[in-house]
Amino acid sequence: MTAETPKQRHRERQRAERREIKEAAAAAARPALDQPALAPDLAPPPARIGPGRPAGAGNRATRDWVRHLIDKHGSPLERLLEIAGMDAEEMQRELGCTKVEAFDRRLTALKEALPYLHQKLPQSIQVDGAPLMAVQIAVSGAVAARIGAAVESQANQQVIEGEPA
């Protein structure tokens, strides 16, 4: 029987800690049993493990360049809002255009800045008198089994022309 040196005991402790970390990470990565993944194909890819830049990380050079341009020229959104906030007569004098042209430029600036400040309202759909349309959603057997849907395979499917009964 060989006596363990302090160095060997230290290495064994490190290996044990690494095993515990891997086991904890694997346990955390497992989905909860009461909440199965409904669409595993749509799940985001796992975070990159190992050397290299993680997915979605910003580029420092690009971030520095954007910061430099904003410091030098100001934020484009702020400049756009300055134009939108100008009075039509002031813009008319400054640009040497008609009052209608000045108003149109101000309105264009407002429209350009709008998506950055407010979300788009939901669109309503008018269906009165529109023909009915059938929609079929196909999922794989594995996904259907996970969500508890019954899967029926049809060998020969045909499109039937004409109005529904």
Side-chain angles (χ1 to χ4, degrees):
M1 185 171 168
T2 60
E4 288 187 1
T5 65
K7 193 172 191 177
Q8 289 172 331
R9 285 192 302 270
H10 176 69
R11 286 184 183 155
E12 186 56 38
R13 273 195 312 271
Q14 285 182 328
R15 286 188 197 109
E17 287 174 1
R18 283 191 215 115
R19 275 193 305 272
E20 289 175 9
I21 291 171
K22 285 181 184 177
E23 290 171 2
R30 278 187 235 126
L33 296 177
D34 59 340
Q35 293 182 348
L38 296 180
D41 299 337
L42 300 177
R48 181 184 170 116
I49 299 173
R53 185 183 306 172
N59 183 332
R60 189 180 71 208
T62 302
R63 191 172 49 246
D64 291 347
W65 181 245
V66 168
R67 191 174 297 134
H68 165 73
L69 290 174
I70 288 177
D71 289 344
K72 186 173 182 180
H73 301 288
S75 166
L77 182 59
E78 288 178 6
R79 301 285 299 266
L80 199 56
L81 290 172
E82 286 175 11
I83 293 170
M86 289 178 74
D87 190 25
E89 286 96 18
E90 178 187 348
M91 190 181 289
Q92 178 186 4
R93 284 190 306 273
E94 194 170 311
L95 297 177
C97 60
T98 66
K99 198 171 188 178
V100 172
E101 290 172 338
F103 181 77
D104 283 343
R105 289 185 185 196
R106 183 172 177 245
L107 189 60
T108 301
L110 284 168
K111 285 180 182 178
E112 292 291 325
L114 190 61
Y116 295 98
L117 303 173
H118 300 286
Q119 68 182 12
K120 193 172 184 179
L121 295 174
Q123 299 293 311
S124 63
I125 299 172
Q126 186 70 26
V127 293
D128 293 340
L132 296 176
M133 181 183 341
V135 177
Q136 181 178 1
I137 300 173
V139 295
S140 69
V143 172
R146 283 191 175 170
I147 61 175
V151 177
E152 296 180 18
S153 61
Q154 297 175 352
N156 297 317
Q157 296 182 3
Q158 296 178 0
V159 175
I160 300 173
E161 295 184 14
E163 293 293 320

